[in-house]
Amino acid sequence: MKRVLIATHNAGKLKEFGALLAPLGIEAVGAGAMGLTEPDETASDFAGNAQLKARAAAVAAGMPALADDSGLCVAALGGEPGVLSARYAAGDYPTAFARIIAACGAAGEWRARFVCALCLAQPDGTTATFIGQADGVIAKAPRGEGGFGYDAVFVPDGYEKTYAELGGAVKDTISHRARAFAQVVKGLGSSCRSAGGDG
Ligand code: IMP
């Protein structure tokens, strides 16, 4: 079986990548299992952070690595927390949900967007990066037990349930991460630079 290193220590992301790769006969190996540390996310956008994480992992491990940088952009917060989504919650998602819901309520604006930049890096440091987005609204209260992160407060367009209520089987067909992943697989779409790699 082919193996791809998933340059993340986030168990939720690793599980989703495992489910996306399994039908392709590819095993997802987590960065933790390879003893890799995560570089600081110093870029100002999703693509830049995905590239630095994927490249560092691929070069260190000597095998192809996929990294995702993702987050929730809330219209009422001017697009924040965005690349700072993990830091905005700081492990306390109930409090983050309450702050986001309060901001949406105060603004009367509930639109939000999940963004995922997915970078495939080779051991020689070359990369190709793809962007996936999922538009939706913030739920007026968190709902559902599945998933991770902000899943309980995001209702994707075309659905009435949150990502957490929809569960992995549905989320993995419509999510920002699934959309970016589909571009990697097909070699289509919005590579940040040329087909030969973006740096
Ligand atoms: P990073 O990409 O490791 O910087 O962190 C992304 C953060 O965005 C996660 O820790 C979550 O807080 C949030 N996030 C990204 N994708 C998802 C998702 O699919 N569901 C819920 N939260 C997500």
Side-chain angles (χ1 to χ4, degrees), residues 10 13 16 41 53 68-71 83 85-86 93 114 148-151 163 171 176-177:
N10 179 317
K13 287 186 186 179
E16 289 189 10
E41 297 182 16
K53 286 189 276 190
D68 126 318
D69 197 66
S70 48
V83 292
S85 291
Y93 281 94
F114 264 120
F148 70 99
Y150 297 91
D151 278 353
Y163 267 174
K171 183 183 173 188
H176 48 306
R177 190 164 297 103

Side-chain angles (χ1 to χ4, degrees), residues 42-134:
T42 51
S44 59
D45 60 12
F46 293 109
N49 281 328
Q51 286 159 12
L52 68 86
K53 286 189 276 190
R55 187 182 289 118
V59 170
M63 64 188 284
L66 261 181
D68 126 318
D69 197 66
S70 48
L72 180 65
C73 303
V74 178
L77 293 173
E80 293 183 351
V83 292
L84 301 177
S85 291
R87 275 170 266 183
Y88 183 84
D92 180 359
Y93 281 94
T95 298
F97 297 164
R99 289 168 65 193
I100 288 172
I101 290 166
C104 292
E109 167 60 84
W110 295 86
R111 299 292 305 166
R113 168 179 290 167
F114 264 120
V115 179
C116 171
L118 190 50
C119 178
L120 177 63
Q122 302 298 330
D124 66 3
T126 56
T127 61
T129 309
F130 303 86
I131 308 291
Q133 296 183 171

